[in-house]
Amino acid sequence: MSLSDIAGFRLRSLGFVAGALSLAVLGGCQVRPLYSDGPTGSTSIALAAIEISEADDRVEQEVRNALVFLTSRGQGEPVNPQYHLALSVSHRTMGVLYESTDNDHDDDDAGAGRIVVKADYNLTKTATGETVKAGNRTAVALVDFPQQEFAKIRAVRDGENRAAKELAEIIGADLAAALGR
C-alpha cells in the first residue's frame, strides 16, 4: 500500500466519522411547532383561558380585539379565565420625509411617515397572581401622508390598525410560547 492510498483512506474515514458525528448531534435537536398539541391541546386551551384588560383608547382596543381573536381562535372571551393579561398600549405618529415646494419654503409637509405602536403586557395566573410572562413589544407601520386632510386622517388610522394587528400577533406568539412550556 502506498502513502497516497493510506492518506486517501484516512480522508474518507475522517469524512465518514464527521458525517456520523453530525447526524448524532442533530438527532438530539428538537424542533416542534408552536401549537404542537393541536387545536384541542394544552397550549390552545391555555390561550383560550386568557382574559384581557379593558382598553383605554381606539388603538389599544384594536390590539385587544386582535388578541382576543388570536388567543381564543375566534371563540370570544373566556367565561372562567385562568389567566389575566394586563395590557397597556401607546402609539404615536411621526413624519420621516419632508417635501418642500419650490414657491414656498416655509410650508414643508410630511410626505411619508410611520406609526409606532408599543405595548407593555403582563400575563398572570388568576388564582395565584403569579406572573407567567411579562414584556414589551413594538410594531411599526409605514404610511404616506397625502395633501388632502381626510385622506391623511384615514391613512393614519389604517396605519394604526395595521400596527395594532401586527403587535397582537407578536404578543400572541409570546404568550403561546410561554404557555407551551
Side-chain angles (χ1 to χ4, degrees):
M1 207 179 245
S2 71
L3 199 54
S4 64
D5 291 338
I6 294 173
F9 176 74
R10 285 187 180 169
L11 283 175
R12 283 191 300 275
S13 297
L14 183 62
F16 176 75
V17 170
L21 185 60
S22 296
L23 288 175
V25 169
L26 289 175
C29 294
Q30 291 185 357
V31 176
R32 64 184 188 117
L34 190 56
Y35 298 102
S36 63
D37 50 4
T40 58
S42 63
T43 302
S44 296
I45 291 170
L47 283 171
I50 297 174
E51 83 174 333
I52 302 171
S53 63
E54 295 299 318
D56 293 331
D57 66 6
R58 193 193 70 75
V59 176
E60 187 168 352
Q61 186 67 46
E62 289 289 332
V63 175
R64 183 183 185 283
N65 289 349
L67 272 170
V68 167
F69 186 80
L70 289 169
T71 57
S72 69
R73 297 201 175 196
Q75 299 297 313
E77 296 186 67
V79 176
N80 298 316
Q82 296 177 1
Y83 301 94
H84 176 75
L85 180 67
L87 184 66
S88 174
V89 176
S90 63
H91 58 93
R92 66 181 205 211
T93 303
M94 296 179 270
V96 292
L97 296 176
Y98 292 93
E99 296 175 5
S100 63
T101 57
D102 293 333
N103 55 2
D104 187 11
H105 295 290
D106 295 333
D107 188 23
D108 290 344
D109 294 326
R114 60 185 170 162
I115 311 292
V116 179
V117 180
K118 295 181 180 183
D120 294 317
Y121 64 92
N122 187 20
L123 180 67
T124 56
K125 290 184 180 178
T126 306
T128 63
E130 173 190 353
T131 297
V132 176
K133 174 75 175 160
N136 53 46
R137 293 295 190 169
T138 303
V140 177
L142 302 176
V143 294
D144 287 328
F145 295 122
Q147 295 296 320
Q148 203 271 337
E149 193 59 34
F150 179 76
K152 189 181 296 185
I153 291 169
R154 189 67 234 183
V156 168
R157 180 170 283 206
D158 289 346
E160 289 170 346
N161 292 347
R162 286 193 320 272
K165 184 175 180 184
E166 181 180 339
L167 184 62
E169 290 174 0
I170 293 168
I171 293 172
D174 283 354
L175 299 177
L179 294 173
R181 290 186 188 133

